[in-house]
Amino acid sequence: MWMIEGELLMDPEKPTGLVLLNMGGPDSVEAVEPFLYRLFSDRELIQLPLGALLQKPFARLISHFRAKHVRENYRQIGGCSPLLRWTSLQAQGIARQLGESCRPYVAMRYSSPTAEQVVKRMKADGIESAVVLSMYPHYTGATTGSSLNDFRRAARKFYPELAFLVIEQWYDWPGYLDALTARVREGLEKFPQEVRQEVQLVFSAHALPQKFIDRGDPYYEHVMATVYGVEERLGGQPWHVGFQSRSGPVAWMKPDTLEVIERLATEGRQALLMVPISFVSDHIETLHEIDIEMREHALQCGVRYFERTPSLNDADDFLLGLAELVNHYLERHS
C-alpha cells in the first residue's frame, strides 16, 4: 500500500529525500531506560491500563524495573543496538541504487535521529519531495502506523511544505522474497549434508497482542503471505510459524516460537533453522532472543542442530530489491 501526501513533483534537477522508518534502539547501556520509557509511552504501540492520563507514569515505572534485565541483554550483544547502523547502511545502499539525486535519511521512533530531527534536516538541505519507506515489511498500526503518524506530525509541524510518497508495506514484494529465500538457502548450508533435508524451518515474527489482530490489523495475513512466498521459491522444506518477544499479562498471537521449538523437539526433530521474517536487520530480537535464549532452550529440549539464517542487513540483493520497490511506486506516480 502506498499514498502521496502533498504535491509530489519529482524534479531530476533537485534532490529527492529517501527516509527509512524504524523502531530504533539504545546506543549504550545507559540509554536503555530512556529508550524503554519512550517505547512504553506510545499508546499506539502499548496501551497501559487506566487510560492515557496515567500512560507516562506507568511507562516510567515499568521502564525502570525492566531496565536492569534489558541492559544485561544489550551488554551480551556488545552494549548497544546495531539497528541504527544497519538502517543507515540500508538507506545509503538504496539511495546509491536510485541515483545521485537521492539523499538518504533515517528516522527512528524511540531513539535518535527522531522524525522531528530528520524533517528539520531535510528542510535545511532543501529537500522538497521525499519517499518515506517503512522498514517493517508487514503492516500493523503498532509499528508502521505509529512510525508514520510520528513522521506526519513532525512534517506538519516543522515542514508542512514537504511532499512525500509513503510505502507502508511490502510483505509480498518479489525482491524481498527473493532475498529472504537466498538467506534461507545460506542457512541450510550450515547443516551437515546428511541432515539438510530434515531441517525444520521455523519462521519467527514479532508477536502482537491479539487485540490488534481482532481489530483488523492485516499483520498475520502479511506474515503468512511472506512465508508462502518463500516456501514457493524453496519447495519441499518442512516449515512452521511462531511469534516471539511476548511479554506482559495480555493475550498474544499464537503460537509462541518457544512452544514451536518445544513441540518439534518432542517430535524428535533434531535440526532447526530459525528464519526471522518481521526483522530486516540484526538487533536484540535476533542477536539475543534467537541466538542466545532460543538456542539454549532448544538444546535443553534435545535439539541437536540449531542455526539462524543470516539477516538481510545490507545485502546487495535486498537493497536492490528495495530500490526496485521505490522505483515501482515512483513510476506509478509519474
Side-chain angles (χ1 to χ4, degrees):
M1 185 175 177
W2 64 293
M3 61 194 72
I4 295 172
E5 306 197 14
E7 187 177 358
L8 189 67
L9 299 174
M10 308 305 293
D11 185 344
E13 301 300 319
K14 295 182 179 181
T16 299
L18 171 69
V19 185
L20 301 195
L21 304 182
N22 216 326
M23 177 173 285
D27 59 6
S28 66
V29 291
E30 292 76 20
V32 165
E33 187 169 336
F35 169 76
L36 292 176
Y37 171 70
R38 288 190 289 269
L39 187 149
F40 285 117
S41 296
D42 182 8
R43 286 186 64 79
E44 291 178 279
L45 177 66
I46 301 169
Q47 293 191 7
L48 295 176
L50 302 182
L53 187 63
L54 294 178
Q55 178 88 8
K56 290 188 175 181
F58 267 97
R60 192 166 298 282
L61 185 67
I62 293 171
S63 59
H64 176 72
F65 283 105
R66 291 198 61 179
K68 181 178 179 180
H69 172 72
V70 177
R71 278 195 293 264
E72 181 57 32
N73 289 350
Y74 276 104
R75 285 192 183 97
Q76 293 181 33
I77 66 167
C80 65
S81 170
L83 193 60
L84 176 58
R85 171 176 175 265
W86 286 124
T87 311
S88 298
L89 288 172
Q90 289 166 343
Q92 294 162 17
I94 297 168
R96 280 194 299 271
Q97 296 283 348
L98 294 173
E100 294 182 358
S101 64
C102 185
R103 302 275 185 87
Y105 301 87
V106 170
M108 295 298 193
R109 183 65 181 94
Y110 307 114
S111 60
S112 294
T114 64
E116 176 182 332
Q117 292 169 331
V118 169
V119 166
K120 290 178 176 179
R121 191 175 306 141
M122 284 198 293
K123 185 173 184 179
D125 291 345
I127 303 295
E128 298 177 1
S129 297
V131 176
V132 179
L133 174 62
S134 166
M135 292 308 285
Y136 306 101
H138 315 96
Y139 182 87
T140 169
T143 54
T144 302
S146 179
S147 291
L148 286 173
N149 288 339
D150 183 50
F151 184 86
R152 291 182 177 113
R153 285 191 294 267
R156 284 196 299 267
K157 184 173 183 180
F158 299 104
Y159 194 7
E161 301 84 11
L162 179 68
F164 53 95
L165 179 152
V166 172
I167 304 173
E168 65 178 27
Q169 59 196 40
W170 35 277
Y171 60 94
D172 59 351
W173 181 250
Y176 165 55
L177 297 178
D178 290 343
L180 188 55
T181 303
R183 301 297 88 77
V184 174
R185 291 196 172 103
E186 292 174 16
L188 289 170
E189 292 175 0
K190 299 180 181 180
F191 294 85
Q193 182 66 44
E194 62 271 17
V195 302
R196 202 165 293 170
Q197 289 187 336
E198 304 302 321
V199 173
Q200 308 291 307
L201 304 184
V202 180
F203 292 92
S204 189
H206 201 293
L208 287 178
Q210 183 61 38
K211 65 181 179 182
F212 284 95
I213 306 302
D214 294 341
R215 76 182 185 185
D217 271 23
Y219 180 77
Y220 178 79
E221 287 80 7
H222 288 183
V223 167
M224 294 308 299
T226 296
V227 172
Y228 295 141
V230 172
E231 275 303 304
E232 182 179 358
R233 286 161 170 78
L234 281 175
Q237 201 76 34
W239 60 273
H240 316 267
V241 177
F243 298 91
Q244 67 182 87
S245 309
R246 308 197 304 180
S247 63
V250 299
W252 290 84
M253 299 173 66
K254 296 180 180 180
D256 188 304
T257 303
L258 289 175
E259 295 172 354
V260 174
I261 292 172
E262 291 169 3
R263 175 176 59 80
L264 292 173
T266 300
E267 295 172 357
R269 309 300 184 182
Q270 290 290 298
L272 307 185
L273 177 61
M274 305 301 298
V275 187
I277 57 169
S278 55
F279 317 107
V280 297
S281 52
D282 276 319
H283 59 312
I284 193 75
E285 278 87 358
T286 59
L287 298 174
H288 195 279
E289 190 171 358
I290 293 179
D291 290 355
I292 297 176
E293 297 174 32
M294 289 187 188
R295 174 182 291 278
E296 291 177 356
H297 186 72
L299 297 180
Q300 290 171 1
C301 289
V303 172
R304 186 177 177 186
Y305 304 99
F306 182 94
E307 301 289 350
R308 174 173 66 85
T309 58
S311 293
L312 292 165
N313 291 334
D314 62 343
D316 290 341
D317 56 351
F318 176 55
L319 300 188
L320 176 60
L322 290 191
E324 291 171 345
L325 173 75
V326 172
N327 270 327
H328 171 74
Y329 285 110
L330 288 174
E331 290 170 1
R332 290 182 64 179
H333 164 66
S334 62

